[in-house]
Amino acid sequence: MNKERKLIIAGNWKMNKTVAEALDLVRDLKIELAKVTAVDIVVCPPFTALSEVAKAIRDSHIRLGAQNMSEHNAGAYTGEIAAELLKEFAVSYVVLGHSERRQYQKESDELIAKKAQAAHAASLQPIVCVGETLAEREADRTEKVLETQVRGSLTGLSKDQMVETIIAYEPVWAIGTGKTATTAQAQAAHAFIRGLLDNMFDETVARRVRIQYGGSVKPSNSRELMSQPDVDGALVGGASLEAKSFADIVRNSI
């Protein structure tokens, strides 16, 4: 698949996998994906497995991501993780503003913007998640919600920082439900987000930013989703917990 932007497939393991299970998974992924270099491949284990997974993938082209981080660099923030602490484990990417954190931890666009700025200050690439709920889509508010989240969550980023930022469009109604946005719905949302970036920054920035799709991505639908002109990869949840399914998604995207 020939695209202007290099595809990026990231596996968000969420609160799953012991260290031993994480190592089994990445060892299998290293074998399955040993010859795949046309796609950026990222795994995002729980914090507890970052150190060992980092060692296990050191001799591969799989990159390491974290599932969250603090907007603060250090200090009295019990239970939080700073960007500099993540970098000790060779973390390259960090997922910010996932819908589950927006919902359960009440994370705001303003907070996510501060986290994105902190990530860039530490030379981490943020994967900033946006997406509407089912009620919002049914009320025909998808574009309004996306505009609010995109503008709010990217506040304060320079053009250079924006180019090094990944956006993940994740319709909340499709996460973990087995429902997937149709290719037309996904493409329309991605194109809308790219148009916002053109308005917020400029055409060059908008053309270069990678926008992933997330929401019940699996081997059976990944090829069609990745073929859309504005879909530049996937943020994979459940299907990333099994080596064969995640590897098939990666291979289907090429």
Side-chain angles (χ1 to χ4, degrees):
M1 192 179 297
N2 184 22
K3 283 204 175 190
E4 178 182 4
R5 298 168 294 273
K6 188 175 184 181
L7 293 177
I8 175 166
I9 310 291
N12 175 19
W13 298 0
K14 306 189 181 183
M15 199 170 69
N16 295 291
K17 302 294 183 186
T18 63
V19 172
E21 291 167 344
L23 289 175
D24 284 343
L25 177 51
V26 292
R27 285 168 184 150
D28 288 344
L29 286 176
K30 284 170 63 176
I31 295 169
E32 291 270 0
L33 298 171
K35 296 180 180 178
V36 178
T37 57
V39 179
D40 284 338
I41 304 166
V42 183
V43 293
C44 303
F47 291 136
T48 50
L50 286 175
S51 177
E52 292 303 313
V53 170
K55 296 173 190 173
I57 63 176
R58 191 175 293 155
D59 59 346
S60 76
H61 51 263
I62 299 171
R63 293 292 170 260
L64 191 60
Q67 297 178 22
N68 181 42
M69 56 164 259
S70 173
E71 73 275 28
H72 301 290
N73 296 325
Y77 301 102
T78 301
E80 294 294 321
I81 297 288
E84 290 297 337
L85 301 180
L86 294 176
K87 287 187 70 177
E88 284 195 303
F89 301 123
V91 168
S92 302
Y93 299 87
V94 59
V95 178
L96 301 177
H98 191 281
S99 67
E100 289 155 4
R101 294 199 63 82
R102 289 178 183 265
Q103 179 181 354
Y104 303 131
Q105 278 73 38
K106 310 304 179 190
E107 291 196 357
S108 65
D109 295 329
E110 181 182 15
L111 175 62
I112 294 158
K114 289 178 181 177
K115 291 186 177 191
Q117 292 169 37
H120 280 294
S123 299
L124 294 179
Q125 275 195 268
I127 298 174
V128 177
C129 301
V130 298
E132 80 284 4
T133 65
L134 182 59
E136 288 164 342
R137 174 165 280 273
E138 290 179 341
D140 200 25
R141 295 186 61 235
T142 295
E143 291 189 354
K144 178 64 177 172
V145 170
L146 290 180
E147 180 164 9
T148 299
Q149 290 183 350
V150 169
R151 289 187 181 278
S153 301
L154 303 176
T155 297
L157 296 185
S158 67
K159 290 182 180 180
D160 287 345
Q161 289 173 329
M162 191 63 237
V163 168
E164 295 301 319
T165 300
I166 295 146
I167 297 176
Y169 168 62
E170 295 195 304
V172 180
W173 48 271
I175 298 173
T177 63
K179 297 179 182 177
T180 312
T182 65
T183 51
Q185 287 172 326
Q187 168 57 24
H190 282 234
F192 177 75
I193 292 169
R194 203 173 300 285
L196 285 175
L197 296 176
D198 187 355
N199 182 266
M200 294 167 63
F201 297 94
D202 60 34
E203 183 186 356
T204 301
V205 170
R207 196 173 65 245
R208 292 176 63 189
V209 170
R210 295 187 287 183
I211 307 174
Q212 297 175 304
Y213 172 78
S216 298
V217 178
K218 42 191 177 287
S220 60
N221 61 30
S222 57
R223 190 183 304 277
E224 190 175 1
L225 283 165
M226 297 308 111
S227 70
Q228 301 305 300
D230 286 296
V231 178
D232 306 314
L235 184 57
V236 185
S240 71
L241 298 175
E242 197 273 313
K244 180 71 164 59
S245 62
F246 185 66
D248 283 346
I249 289 170
V250 173
R251 284 190 286 259
N252 286 349
S253 69
I254 300 171

